[in-house]
């Protein structure tokens, strides 16, 4: 599985070496590591982070046609790595927002105003009522618990 948090040049080098040796699985793992790392940039808003996570799953976590069991499991695990990081990042952002709403409520702001803001914020991260492919079930359940406190 890919290392996360390395400089972009690291992933480029690994992908290039994998291309030279014809190791498409190492290439895809390097690209997944690169896109997860890019998505974890604290300066990005959720929509930009999600583009990286979704790209990693859709483009780099798909096994070739007719894979053997080991290859199929490798790509399933690679997609799970993306989902784990995506869920952790969503939970981090939603927990931070939850804390801010609680602090504002304790300072006397009206709950109705906070509920409207929460609905908009949490809606962006969760993208509806059905669990999207980029979250694992346990993270989705936690996201719903946080959201449901406010809306």
């Amino acid at each position: 599985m890919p290392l996360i948090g390395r400089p972009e040049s690291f992933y480029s080098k690994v992908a290039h070496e994998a291309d030279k040796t014809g190791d498409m699985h190492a290439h895809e793992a390097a690209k997944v590591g690169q896109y997860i790392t890019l998505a974890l940039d604290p300066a990005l808003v959720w929509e930009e982070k999600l583009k990286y996570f979704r790209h990693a799953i859709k483009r780099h976590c798909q096994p070739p046609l007719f894979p053997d069991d080991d290859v199929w499991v490798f790509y399933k695990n690679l997609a799970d790595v993306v989902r784990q990081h995506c869920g952790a990042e969503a939970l981090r952002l939603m927990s931070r927002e939850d804390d801010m709403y609680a602090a504002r409520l304790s300072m006397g702001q009206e709950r109705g105003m906070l509920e409207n803001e929460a609905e908009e914020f949490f809606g962006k991260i969760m993208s509806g009522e059905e669990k999207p492919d980029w979250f694992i079930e346990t993270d989705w359940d936690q996201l719903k618990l946080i959201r449901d406190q406010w809306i």
Side-chain angles (χ1 to χ4, degrees):
M1 292 296 105
L3 298 170
I4 307 300
R6 300 289 182 120
E8 197 158 359
S9 61
F10 170 82
Y11 300 108
S12 296
K13 181 180 176 186
V14 171
H16 182 70
E17 288 173 7
D19 289 343
K20 276 195 211 177
T21 62
D23 187 348
M24 69 181 243
H25 309 310
H27 172 91
E28 298 298 1
K31 297 306 279 182
V32 164
Q34 177 184 16
Y35 284 107
I36 290 172
T37 299
L38 290 169
L40 297 178
D41 181 344
L44 297 180
V45 296
W46 173 252
E47 293 84 359
E48 293 169 339
K49 292 172 179 289
L50 185 57
K51 284 180 188 176
Y52 287 125
F53 289 129
R54 290 179 67 191
H55 176 81
I57 288 175
K58 289 183 181 219
R59 173 64 179 88
H60 300 289
C61 296
Q62 302 302 316
L65 291 177
F66 311 113
D68 63 25
D69 288 345
D70 290 340
V71 171
W72 186 86
V73 168
F74 171 78
Y75 282 95
K76 179 190 175 308
N77 291 339
L78 200 56
D80 285 344
V81 169
V82 177
R83 289 182 185 103
Q84 289 166 1
H85 284 279
C86 183
E89 187 66 4
L91 283 165
R92 183 186 71 77
L93 294 172
M94 283 183 64
S95 294
R96 184 183 70 197
E97 197 76 4
D98 175 55
D99 291 344
M100 288 191 334
Y101 294 146
R104 290 169 58 192
L105 187 63
S106 72
M107 290 186 284
Q109 286 192 358
E110 290 185 30
R111 184 168 182 94
M113 188 175 90
L114 297 174
E115 288 171 353
N116 291 336
E117 287 181 36
E119 186 170 6
E120 182 180 333
F121 180 82
F122 296 145
K124 286 179 185 177
I125 292 182
M126 296 180 72
S127 303
E129 290 298 317
E130 297 293 320
K131 181 188 79 60
D133 185 45
W134 50 87
F135 291 128
I136 60 175
E137 195 70 41
T138 55
D139 290 340
W140 180 250
D141 291 342
Q142 288 182 307
L143 292 168
K144 288 191 302 187
L145 284 172
I146 295 169
R147 177 201 62 194
D148 291 349
Q149 295 178 94
W150 296 102
I151 60 173

